[in-house]
Amino acid sequence: MAGARRPGVWARVALIAALAAPGGRLAAQAADSARLVRAAHDAQRDFEETRRSHLRWTRGGDGGHCDERIGRFCYWHGDMPDSAPPESPVIERARRRLLAVLDSASRAAPADGWIAGQRVRYELEAGAPDSAFIQLASCGAAPWWCDALRGLALHAGGHYARAETADDRALAEMPDTLRCRWIDLSPLLEGRAAGRYAHAGCDERPVLNARLWWLAQPFLALPANDRRTEQFARRTMVEIARHSVWPVTASWGDDVAELMLRYGWPRWFERVEPESQIDPSYSIMGHDPQPSFAFFPDGRLLDSVYSARPGDWDLHAARAASRYAPAYAESIEAARVLLSRFARGDSTLVVAAYDASRDTLLHARGLRAALAVAPDERQRFVRWDSSAAPTGVLSVIAPRLDALVDMDLFDDRSHAAARDREALRALTGGGGARLSDLLLFRPADGTPETLDAAMPLALPSADIAGRDPLGVYWELYGPRSVGVGLEVSLTVERVGASWWQRARRVLRIGRGDTPIALHWRDVARPRDGVVGRSVVVDLSHVDGGTYRIRLQVQPDGEPAQVAEREVVVRR
């Protein structure tokens, strides 16, 4: 009968313990490590048979429908349980006995890599990643394999920075041909990224990988890339499973490896009820961690990182080539963010006004918020607020370089997160006068003339309620002398107007299509080389649609400087 336990399994357990016990009756045979290793293999096989015969029953998929067919396996991308039911006590006890066997065998054969891997695997199943890591102190297998196992245990325990260190050490220690296979990301990619990667040789992959991992890091503000350590953990688990009994299939195959590399290894299993009474055999269904997210972006960013927009990352893509479930973020939603750049000497001050209040799991104070500016794969400039609200403003000083910018929020109580990621070009300008970005703000008393006064009022979105006045703040840098005259104009003009709308504007038919145009004379009185100004415009007479705010400032005797920002007026 399927799943029946063979007799004498736990008699072998007692034999192994006796062989490894110092001073035992059979202690003279302890040197026979090969025999102990064979017995450990048998014990692992027997445990998996016990597991299979005591898993909870479930019905199969949607009448044989598959979202994706991978070799022998039918894969569904959604509508599956995201938490495991209580495990059978029989399976729990059997795992504890197996771990005792593996522990005894490890003492007798500390250099055996298979035993070291199985100990880590089943300690993780038991929910003890720290115990798995501690046991690796005596790992005597190949150095690269011991470090790969350490990376797996550390990642599972949430120690991502230490896992990165262990993974990098393992890569440096392993043979070149093996390293080439371990760094291969082709199973995770699709579209343009997959095509570009397919033509890259092993020597070219490290450069491509560095960029891909930078783009795929879940949150740039965090000190380590847990999406990368997750992939090394998956590679390690594939090697652990390759030479052992795996619950979901009687024989190993490349299809099992592909499933694990793309979606992670199953964290729990169920028995699928037979489809007919004629064939009573059953199959095993594995469940990946859920909810999971697609962190790899549109493939065009491999060659144009600094054109990135928030829509280039579809975290909730229904059928992504690969997915990952961060242990610290059970939901990740989009935050509304409006970025602005201001010059500060040779650096740039990046200001992010954000709003994640639409995410109901973040409706509380005490969030952790961070603004991260990443000019490349190695550099990070991060500002944290450990007690933030779902709406607010953060700023960070960074070099005057093109960069990816993240606004990240975390609620550690609900394991919810929100993020916005987009590229920001360097604030250009040479030795002459130049303008900052236009910061949009909610008018209060007066008009702010410093960034410190404007920032608390900053709007998190360029979607504007037309009934409300709109504040626009900017800075001018580098007028040649104090008191120089400035010609200033500000216009608000519709973007993409139809010929009829343009004709109405020319003929002055109707009010909503008439652009706002302001012009005035100013005098530069810099504070620390900065001239700060703001103005409030009334949009109540403007029809709904997309408009371009255009500011032009011309110091006497110098070229005009222009700054623009598009807004969407809602009615």
Side-chain angles (χ1 to χ4, degrees):
M1 187 175 75
R5 190 174 66 187
R6 295 200 300 262
V9 173
W10 303 118
R12 276 201 303 277
V13 174
L15 172 62
I16 294 171
L19 285 168
R25 185 169 57 87
L26 300 176
Q29 302 178 40
D32 188 3
S33 59
R35 181 180 177 187
L36 291 172
V37 170
R38 286 194 300 272
H41 277 264
D42 289 341
Q44 190 266 335
R45 184 182 304 107
D46 291 329
F47 166 76
E48 291 299 346
E49 288 188 7
T50 300
R51 187 212 300 262
R52 288 173 65 94
S53 62
H54 288 87
L55 289 173
R56 190 183 73 164
W57 288 101
T58 187
R59 297 183 63 84
D62 184 15
H65 167 76
C66 293
D67 288 337
E68 189 167 358
R69 175 70 68 176
I70 300 176
R72 295 164 290 174
F73 296 96
C74 184
Y75 191 85
W76 295 274
H77 286 277
D79 301 322
M80 302 298 288
D82 58 7
S83 60
E87 191 172 52
S88 164
V90 175
I91 298 175
E92 290 181 357
R93 290 193 296 269
R95 184 183 294 109
R96 286 197 297 270
R97 290 193 292 264
L98 172 60
L99 282 168
V101 172
L102 293 170
D103 184 60
S104 298
S106 177
R107 288 197 296 271
D112 190 283
W114 184 90
I115 292 174
Q118 300 306 318
R119 292 178 80 194
V120 171
R121 167 185 173 180
Y122 289 109
E123 288 284 8
L124 297 187
E125 279 195 8
D130 292 343
S131 176
F133 177 77
I134 291 170
Q135 291 177 9
L136 288 167
S138 59
C139 181
W144 74 265
W145 180 239
C146 293
D147 279 324
L149 293 174
R150 291 184 184 102
L152 168 60
L154 289 165
H155 173 83
H159 307 294
Y160 305 120
R162 294 170 63 196
E164 275 194 322
T165 300
D167 293 338
D168 289 341
R169 199 164 52 236
L171 284 174
E173 294 163 338
M174 66 178 56
D176 292 344
T177 54
L178 184 61
R179 184 186 308 111
C180 188
R181 180 159 57 87
W182 273 58
I183 65 172
D184 181 10
L185 302 184
S186 54
L188 315 181
L189 305 176
E190 55 191 334
R192 293 171 62 178
R196 169 77 183 279
Y197 201 84
H199 293 91
C202 198
D203 293 340
E204 301 171 87
R205 284 178 179 172
V207 173
L208 282 175
N209 286 11
R211 174 152 292 190
L212 283 165
W213 286 131
W214 175 33
L215 293 168
Q217 182 169 344
F219 298 94
L220 293 177
L222 297 180
N225 189 340
D226 53 291
R227 180 62 188 87
R228 180 173 180 262
T229 59
E230 164 74 11
Q231 201 60 35
F232 280 102
R234 293 177 184 181
R235 280 282 180 191
T236 306
M237 189 60 78
V238 164
E239 294 306 313
I240 291 172
R242 187 186 301 276
H243 304 291
S244 62
V245 177
W246 192 248
V248 295
T249 181
S251 61
W252 180 263
D254 290 342
D255 48 4
V256 186
E258 182 179 345
L259 278 168
M260 293 171 67
L261 291 174
R262 291 173 59 180
Y263 305 112
W265 64 95
R267 300 312 199 264
W268 56 286
F269 305 90
E270 292 178 302
R271 283 185 290 180
V272 179
E273 295 176 353
E275 295 183 1
S276 71
Q277 295 181 348
I278 298 175
D279 181 7
S281 62
Y282 60 84
S283 60
I284 303 296
M285 179 186 296
H287 293 273
D288 305 331
Q290 296 291 334
S292 58
F293 307 93
F295 288 107
F296 283 91
D298 188 289
R300 72 178 186 85
L301 295 188
L302 268 177
D303 297 309
S304 56
V305 171
Y306 303 111
S307 67
R309 303 177 297 268
D312 289 322
W313 286 266
D314 184 1
L315 301 185
H316 303 280
R319 297 190 178 187
S322 65
R323 305 181 71 87
Y324 166 51
Y328 54 85
E330 294 177 3
S331 76
I332 305 175
E333 299 299 334
R336 294 195 304 162
V337 176
L338 201 58
L339 300 174
S340 306
R341 301 162 300 170
F342 300 89
R344 293 295 181 266
D346 293 332
S347 300
T348 298
L349 179 68
V350 179
V351 175
Y354 67 89
D355 178 9
S357 61
R358 296 178 182 179
D359 187 341
T360 57
L361 294 177
L362 294 173
H363 276 195
R365 286 194 172 272
L367 306 178
R368 291 188 299 128
L371 176 62
V373 178
D376 55 38
E377 295 92 332
R378 297 170 300 279
Q379 299 184 80
R380 296 289 190 281
F381 302 87
V382 184
R383 171 80 177 274
W384 281 92
D385 182 351
S386 60
S387 183
T391 60
V393 181
L394 273 179
S395 63
V396 66
I397 290 279
R400 194 186 299 170
L401 298 169
D402 297 343
L404 282 183
V405 180
D406 252 25
M407 183 68 231
D408 300 334
L409 293 105
F410 307 92
D411 188 330
D412 295 331
R413 292 161 296 182
S414 62
H415 285 192
R419 92 171 195 190
D420 175 88
R421 177 173 299 173
E422 55 191 283
L424 204 61
R425 289 290 186 176
L427 190 61
T428 57
R434 64 188 190 278
L435 281 170
S436 71
D437 284 338
L438 304 181
L439 183 143
L440 307 182
F441 67 89
R442 191 177 297 103
D445 295 335
T447 52
E449 294 193 1
T450 66
L451 184 58
D452 287 344
M455 278 174 52
L457 308 173
L459 292 173
S461 171
D463 275 20
I464 309 299
R467 65 182 180 276
D468 298 328
L470 173 65
V472 183
Y473 173 86
W474 67 90
E475 291 180 348
L476 178 69
Y477 313 106
R480 290 176 179 171
S481 62
V482 175
V484 68
L486 306 172
E487 293 292 330
V488 186
S489 64
L490 184 141
T491 60
V492 180
E493 192 161 16
R494 193 180 192 105
V495 175
S498 67
W499 70 268
W500 171 238
Q501 290 166 333
R502 293 194 298 272
R504 288 177 63 194
R505 188 162 61 236
V506 171
L507 299 172
R508 297 185 180 181
I509 301 173
R511 62 181 186 179
D513 298 314
T514 302
I516 295 172
L518 305 174
H519 183 273
W520 67 97
R521 179 84 177 166
D522 200 351
V523 177
R525 295 186 176 87
R527 300 178 185 177
D528 299 324
V530 176
V531 177
R533 293 290 187 268
S534 63
V535 69
V536 176
V537 295
D538 181 6
L539 299 178
S540 62
H541 299 294
V542 175
D543 289 342
T546 301
Y547 291 82
R548 181 179 294 112
I549 302 175
R550 186 177 191 272
L551 173 75
Q552 178 174 298
V553 180
Q554 183 169 16
D556 291 344
E558 294 193 36
Q561 302 298 312
V562 176
E564 296 180 337
R565 189 182 286 276
E566 288 190 3
V567 299
V568 178
V569 177
R570 303 293 183 188
R571 291 294 177 193

